[in-house]
Amino acid sequence: MKKRVLSGIKPTGNLTLGNYLGALKHFAKYQDEHEVFIFIADLHALTLPIEPEVLRKLTRDIVAFYLASNLDPSKTTIFLQSQVSEHSELNAILQNYLYMGELNRMTQFKDLSLKMKQSAIGLGLFAYPVLMASDILLYDAQIVPVGEDQKQHVELTRDLVDRFNKRYGNILVMPEPVISKVGARIMSLSNPLQKMSKSDPKGDVFLLDDLKVIEKKIMAAVTDSGSEIKYDVKNKPGISNLISIYASIENITTKDVEEKFKNSQYGEFKKAVAMCVINELGPFKKRYEEIINSSLIEETLAEGALKAKKIAKQTLSRVQKAVGLLHVE
Ligand code: TRP
């Protein structure tokens, strides 16, 4: 059965191999079977301070990465959150159905706000999950591929759907978070206990890094004591991370990787990982280079916004009517 799939990436930093394996590579897999909406969460990017020119650049980058990862705009609707005003309109309604206590319990908010000055925490950061729920519900999405860190926000969206539908009838579609097993948790190469985020130049492989730099970073990855290539996240986090990367790119299991390298030394294995990453990212980066300075980006976004708006309008109108907003055509 054809399902609605929706996901997005927030343009807040340079994308990494973790984003590629955890998100980009998976998105394209859905488009032949399902109806897919993939967007750039640019309004969400504003929830933490960001320079306008940085936001603009990162936004274009992500569109180019989407296209370079073989998302086909004739199959997948690729659009910008801020260009479909229904996101903000639904947000204005749904904010009344999530409660302060619930938002206060979100780990992303707790982690971020702990590091910030109380007086500088924006309302948007607090209300982040409401906008995210609006993104999801606007498209009646059934499947929402996300990283482990965003699962809680999708769960909260599910609570919202329950609450809303109990009150108004069957109006919103229940979404399901899908966390990709392999590739969902690519860790930093310099500290394999920490996720590969968008902020550690040594431990992160950035998609925009030169291939030579990528090779160097992988060869310099922290490994563990011992010499066996064994997938054991607890005792061998460094090697396990490299195994995950290899398995994810080659589409094989971590067991297959162990078997393949059972007679290899760490150095040899790292070299193989580096080569496999380069073989994957080389052609991908080349496609990115071809796209990034072309008008294909603007064309894709313009067309995507139109397609997205068509669906978004219908859902918004359904919700408006349900809650009693007077509908004047
Ligand atoms: N919060 C997501 C992230 O940081 C991005 C996002 C915004 C998203 N809205 C979404 C993902 C809706 C899935 C569905 O990665």
Side-chain angles (χ1 to χ4, degrees), residues 6-10 39 41 44 81 108 128 131-132 135-136 144-146 149-150 153:
L6 173 129
S7 194
I9 295 180
K10 190 171 53 179
F39 71 104
H44 275 116
Q81 184 186 35
Q108 176 176 293
Y128 186 110
L131 181 57
M132 182 157 162
D135 300 336
I136 295 168
V144 184
V146 283
D149 63 322
Q150 295 299 313
H153 291 156

Side-chain angles (χ1 to χ4, degrees), residues 122-163:
L123 177 57
L125 186 68
F126 185 62
Y128 186 110
V130 185
L131 181 57
M132 182 157 162
S134 308
D135 300 336
I136 295 168
L137 300 174
L138 207 42
Y139 299 91
D140 293 337
Q142 292 148 297
I143 300 180
V144 184
V146 283
E148 185 64 45
D149 63 322
Q150 295 299 313
K151 192 173 166 205
Q152 197 184 30
H153 291 156
V154 184
E155 300 289 353
L156 187 64
T157 304
R158 290 172 60 85
D159 294 344
L160 168 66
V161 170
D162 258 337
R163 184 173 299 155

